[in-house]
Amino acid sequence: MAIKILGGLLLVLSGFTAGWFCSKKLLMRKDFFRKFLSFVSNLSTQLRYSTSDIFTLVSLSASTSGLDFFDISEESGTPFYKVWSERVSEIPAKIGLKNSDRQLLLEFGEQLGKTDVDGQLKHLELYEALFKKQLMDAENEITKKSKLYKTMGFFVGTAAALMII
């Protein structure tokens, strides 16, 4: 009987932990977009006042904003977009980005470095607004789903424990 109770407690704990990790993904997504907005702002400033190539500007902005997976070194003859898309695909799943988020990141990188400075700045303004919308979406999801995930994890674990006992 004691083993059943211990097993039941472990099920409750594991259910709650699973819910907590799902909730944590929502927070990590929000933090990613906050850092990415800082990255876009920093990149905009770098574009205005620097004459460096896009690889250097993106790397500098990424390291300043804390987005180390966007630290892009210029590879011999590889187009920027190809390197960018590889970096986007390497973003860890634990960040909790949706497919639409990844697609938006790919679209953002597609036009970087292809136009003059004014065109780049307008591109950054547009995507800054789009990423702010994604940030608001992430914050709304936290409000709606964070507590739900923890509670559901707890109750699923409890239900499984009751079935065992």
Side-chain angles (χ1 to χ4, degrees):
M1 183 67 174
I3 292 177
K4 284 186 176 183
I5 291 174
L6 182 62
L9 287 175
L10 288 174
L11 281 172
V12 170
L13 182 63
S14 65
F16 178 76
T17 303
W20 185 80
F21 278 117
C22 290
S23 173
K24 185 76 171 159
K25 272 187 171 182
L26 295 175
L27 292 172
M28 292 181 79
R29 180 173 176 247
K30 179 189 81 166
D31 289 342
F32 173 82
F33 281 118
R34 281 205 173 136
K35 287 179 183 179
F36 200 81
L37 283 169
S38 172
F39 165 79
V40 170
S41 175
N42 197 328
L43 184 59
S44 176
T45 303
Q46 293 292 331
L47 271 168
R48 278 189 181 97
Y49 302 113
S50 178
T51 58
S52 298
D53 64 306
I54 192 68
F55 288 95
T56 306
L57 296 175
V58 167
S59 293
L60 183 62
S61 297
S63 63
T64 304
S65 303
L67 295 173
D68 295 332
F69 35 82
F70 287 121
D71 190 6
I72 297 175
S73 60
E74 186 172 1
E75 298 176 14
S76 59
T78 307
F80 175 79
Y81 178 68
K82 186 171 183 176
V83 177
W84 178 264
S85 60
E86 288 172 6
R87 293 299 189 272
V88 169
S89 67
E90 292 171 0
I91 295 174
K94 69 179 183 179
I95 302 268
L97 294 181
K98 298 178 178 180
N99 287 336
S100 61
D101 298 336
R102 289 184 188 273
Q103 188 62 37
L104 189 62
L105 287 168
L106 288 173
E107 291 170 8
F108 172 75
E110 188 174 5
Q111 294 300 317
L112 280 180
K114 290 188 177 178
T115 61
D116 63 343
V117 174
D118 288 333
Q120 293 297 294
L121 293 173
K122 289 190 188 307
H123 176 75
L124 291 174
E125 275 182 42
L126 169 68
Y127 277 91
E128 184 175 16
L130 293 173
F131 286 121
K132 281 182 182 177
K133 184 177 179 282
Q134 294 298 98
L135 175 63
M136 288 186 344
D137 178 50
E139 289 171 344
N140 288 339
E141 275 193 11
I142 288 171
T143 305
K144 292 177 183 176
K145 296 180 181 177
S146 181
K147 191 173 180 180
L148 173 74
Y149 285 158
K150 292 174 191 172
T151 306
M152 288 298 294
F154 174 76
F155 284 126
V156 167
T158 303
L162 289 174
M163 291 174 71
I164 287 177
I165 297 175

